[in-house]
Amino acid sequence: MALTIRPFRDQDEPAVVALWRIAFPSEPKRNDPLAIIRRKRDRQPELFLVGEIDNRVVATVVAGYDGYRGWVYHVAVADDARRSGYGRAMMAAVEERLRALGCPKLNLQINRSNAEVVAFYEALGYLVEDRISMGKELS
Ligand SMILES: CC(C)(COP(=O)(O)OP(=O)(O)OC[C@H]1O[C@@H](n2cnc3c(N)ncnc32)[C@H](O)[C@@H]1OP(=O)(O)O)[C@@H](O)C(=O)NCCC(=O)NCCS
């Protein structure tokens, strides 16, 4: 069935929260779905996409471009809609938008506990790069 991809709207909030709670069950507190949605509403909201089928939100992707790199987060497809090409379609849609903004490269991180998802991104042309990923809590 065809996936309709469009920017997030406020009324999608309950469906997106429900999808993320299942797709990302052990997220840190800063990744509380409502907090992410609230922050993203004010910053490049056009790079927060949902995919729907028959008016049901079944997929998401959140991205940002800071003028140097693009980053992608929260690529998720509902359990019962997986392996139908929707994840691929969401990534293609966000890549197209980032390309249009002049973004030269897109990065993403995968939790080590979720390493099986590497095969998904490799199928889309992403490479595992020789980097050490670091981060710091700011709040
Ligand atoms: C990762 C995820 C978004 C993939 O969505 P999807 O709609 O099932 O992916 P697609 O159907 O578009 O898959 C495209 C290709 O990726 C590969 N692929 C997808 N899921 C895969 C998996 N679990 N294992 C191995 N390869 C996979 C396949 O090559 C697939 O092509 P195929 O359908 O011809 O086999 C989905 O499994 C998901 O939401 N997972 C939980 C959330 C998550 O971990 N997100 C990533 C955080 S970094």
Side-chain angles (χ1 to χ4, degrees):
M1 226 179 283
L3 187 72
T4 303
I5 301 177
R6 57 164 177 80
F8 170 88
R9 297 184 200 126
D10 285 347
Q11 57 264 40
D12 301 322
E13 190 175 282
V16 169
V17 169
L19 173 57
W20 287 355
R21 288 209 197 284
I22 293 169
F24 309 108
S26 40
E27 287 283 88
K29 197 160 168 263
R30 65 175 175 279
N31 286 358
D32 171 68
L34 287 174
I36 294 174
I37 291 170
R38 215 172 302 129
R39 292 192 298 258
K40 192 59 188 163
R41 233 182 237 139
D42 300 335
R43 295 170 188 82
Q44 298 180 313
E46 70 280 7
L47 296 178
F48 180 3
L49 304 179
V50 301
E52 61 180 5
I53 291 177
D54 285 342
N55 298 318
R56 173 190 164 217
V57 171
V58 297
T60 64
V61 60
V62 177
Y65 175 48
D66 56 23
Y68 193 100
R69 289 284 181 263
W71 282 88
V72 67
Y73 311 90
H74 274 37
V75 182
V77 173
D79 274 347
D80 63 351
R82 288 183 192 168
R83 301 307 280 260
S84 301
Y86 299 150
R88 185 190 291 274
M90 295 302 289
M91 288 298 294
V94 86
E95 286 170 13
E96 188 185 311
R97 284 162 173 79
L98 286 162
R99 209 175 283 116
L101 293 173
C103 175
K105 182 168 184 274
L106 181 52
N107 290 337
L108 58 92
Q109 293 177 320
I110 299 172
N111 282 332
R112 200 163 288 284
S113 61
N114 195 21
E116 67 269 11
V117 88
V118 166
F120 164 70
Y121 291 112
E122 283 182 336
L124 273 52
Y126 289 76
L127 301 174
V128 176
E129 299 181 320
D130 187 16
R131 305 277 191 277
I132 294 173
S133 178
M134 295 181 69
K136 182 179 180 180
E137 301 283 342
L138 294 181
S139 55

